[in-house]
Structure formats: C-alpha cells, structure tokens
Amino acid sequence: MIELKHQTIEGLPVLEVYPKGKEKELLPTVFFYHGWESRKERVLEYGYVLARKGFRAILPEALDHGERRAEMEASNDPMNFWNIVVQSVQEFPLLVNHYLEQKKSDKDKIGVAGLSMGGITTSAMLTQYEWIQAAAVLMGSPNPIEFTEWLLKNYKIDGTALYDLLDQEMIATRLQELEGISLNKQPEKIAGRPVYFWHGTKDPIVPIHITKHFIEEIKNEPYSHQLEFETSPGVKHRVPQTIIFKMSQFFDKTLNENNKASS
C-alpha cells in the first residue's frame, strides 16, 4: 500500500508518494520529472511503482505547466523549452534540501529521473550536482544543442523549417547558452555514477540517434562503467510499462542494494 500527499515547497507544487505509514521515515528518494505539455499528475504511475519499491517519490511541477501554468499565453519563443529545463535544474536543490532538513530523505540515496523533457532535465542535472547518486533518462537527450537544431530544422510552418524562419544569430547565441548543461560536452561528470538511458527506436519527438551517438562515444570510458542503455524496437514517444518497472528495479539496485553492501 502507498500514500499520496500534495504540498508546496518554496512555492513549488509537488506530489509525494511513499509506502503507507512511512511519511516521516528516512527513505531513499527519487525525484521524477514529467514531460513537455504534461503535468505531475500524469506521472503518478512512476511514483506508485517507485513507492512500491520502498522509495519516497517526489513528482515536481515544471514551470509553465499544471499548477504553474501562467494565465497569459506561453511565449512563442521556441527556446522557452530550455528556460523551463534550466528552471527545474536550478530549483532542484531547494526540493532536495527540504527533504533532507525534514529528515525524510537520505543524502546518500538521492536519485533523479524523468521522461522526455524530464529526461532532458535529468541529463542536465548530472552536469551540475555531483551528489546525485543515480539517474534514469527515459526518451530524453544528453545533447541539448544537437537536439534543438534537429527540432528547429524538422518542425515546419507552411512547408518552411522553423530554423529558416528565425534569426540565425539569435539561434547561435541561444544554443551557446546551453553548453553549461550539455552532458555530451562534459560526459566525465557522469563520474562513475549509475545512469540508465532508455529510448524507443521509432521516437519521432526526441530522436534516438542523438542518444545512441553519445553512448557509443563514451561507453568505453572509465567514468561510464555503470552506464546502461536499453532500447525498445518499434516504440515511438511513449514509455512501456515494462520499462517503468525496469526503472524502479534500476533504482532499487543502485540506491538500495549497493548502499546496503557498502554499509
């Protein structure tokens, strides 16, 4: 059995899912981020599966989504996507510190995961926070610059690629701003941590080829010895239930079993 709690932390709405009767106990904790144009409630299944494994699962609301959606229309700036990702990266320590101060989360058992935009956010977080113990990237991209270029060139308006409709100098400047959160630019920051990548081979939204190239480039490096990469043939932009279970097993192995062995 599990329990569910809605709360606001430092102005940030989250859903908290945990094993029944263990709200105030010290638990391994996984923060799971939803995708673009989604909301925290739509990833409750992930929280449920994690809680069944004994985790405290925190499902944050991303900027301009769900409860945080502004009443005015969203900006037409195609780079607004990255403003949201960067905001989630910057807010992450606020959420983690709350649970550490409440003595509800173990500082040595902190994981982060997400799907689509949430997976992209997870990759970005690995470049910033060495205290993340394990991460799962579900149909996300570790290369925000190449992904954005692909997106702008493949998204068309009246037959013309969005890339060609925008100011090229502006695009170059905005893309350069992403280097600081680009895992492909600093893969050594994986630093031997367990990281699970999953992608469907027919994903038309976040293309798999960018992630595959990244994995091929670093798979033999010493810092990637705990990196796992799995694909699902024919799957488009959705996460199969079997992969949700595998994600929970990955965290169970890396945050629970490994910590037990070292204690």
Side-chain angles (χ1 to χ4, degrees):
M1 297 289 289
I2 68 163
E3 294 181 329
L4 170 67
K5 178 180 179 181
H6 174 284
Q7 61 180 320
T8 301
I9 300 167
E10 300 285 344
L12 308 175
V14 304
L15 291 177
E16 181 181 342
V17 192
Y18 46 85
K20 186 175 181 179
K22 295 190 176 183
E23 179 187 357
K24 299 185 183 303
E25 292 189 19
L26 187 70
L27 297 175
T29 303
V30 176
F31 295 78
F32 192 94
Y33 285 81
H34 64 75
W36 175 254
E37 289 298 304
S38 186
R39 57 188 183 274
K40 61 188 182 307
E41 288 82 4
R42 295 186 69 179
V43 292
L44 266 171
E45 180 179 7
Y46 298 81
Y48 176 84
V49 172
L50 286 164
R52 287 287 302 270
K53 283 288 187 183
F55 289 96
R56 186 183 306 281
I58 310 301
L59 317 177
E61 194 90 87
L63 180 69
D64 290 341
H65 289 72
E67 292 181 64
R68 301 178 69 185
R69 183 177 291 278
E71 295 202 5
M72 63 179 63
E73 290 187 12
S75 167
N76 289 325
D77 180 357
M79 297 298 285
N80 188 51
F81 176 94
W82 294 108
N83 296 335
I84 295 168
V85 170
V86 169
Q87 186 74 14
S88 290
V89 172
Q90 293 174 343
E91 293 169 351
F92 185 51
L94 297 175
L95 297 176
V96 174
N97 288 337
H98 170 82
Y99 287 97
L100 293 180
E101 291 169 0
Q102 295 287 317
K103 301 190 185 307
K104 293 183 177 180
S105 295
D106 186 335
K107 66 180 179 62
D108 295 320
K109 298 182 181 182
I110 299 292
V112 62
L115 62 84
S116 193
M117 180 179 73
I120 291 169
T121 300
T122 299
S123 284
M125 286 180 177
L126 288 171
T127 70
Q128 305 297 309
Y129 307 118
E130 69 280 357
W131 39 262
I132 295 172
Q133 274 79 45
V137 179
L138 307 179
M139 59 187 189
S141 177
N143 186 335
I145 294 175
E146 186 178 352
F147 169 62
T148 303
E149 290 176 333
W150 178 89
L151 191 63
L152 294 177
K153 290 175 181 177
N154 283 273
Y155 183 81
K156 296 183 178 181
I157 298 177
D158 296 329
T160 302
L162 184 57
Y163 190 90
D164 296 324
L165 296 174
L166 299 173
D167 180 76
Q168 302 298 301
E169 188 173 329
M170 180 275 290
I171 293 175
T173 299
R174 298 299 300 276
L175 291 178
Q176 188 175 14
E177 293 172 355
L178 299 177
E179 290 191 1
I181 60 168
S182 301
L183 187 59
N184 67 296
K185 296 282 187 181
Q186 43 199 325
E188 69 281 356
K189 288 192 174 181
I190 292 173
R193 291 177 288 184
V195 183
Y196 174 69
F197 281 90
W198 172 84
H199 222 120
T201 62
K202 296 296 184 180
D203 191 334
I205 307 298
V206 182
I208 188 175
H209 73 269
I210 297 175
T211 299
K212 285 182 68 176
H213 179 69
F214 172 76
I215 300 295
E216 283 297 317
E217 282 198 323
I218 69 168
K219 66 181 182 180
N220 295 320
E221 297 292 341
Y223 55 74
S224 65
H225 71 281
Q226 292 201 81
L227 186 148
E228 299 179 35
F229 179 47
E230 183 171 7
T231 63
S232 294
V235 174
K236 296 183 179 181
H237 197 64
R238 64 175 183 85
V239 182
Q241 189 178 53
T242 54
I243 298 303
I244 300 176
F245 291 141
K246 285 188 177 182
M247 176 205 68
S248 70
Q249 291 165 357
F250 164 80
F251 281 118
D252 190 38
K253 178 180 69 176
T254 56
L255 293 182
N256 281 336
E257 294 178 13
N258 284 358
N259 278 277
K260 289 175 185 176
S262 62
S263 61

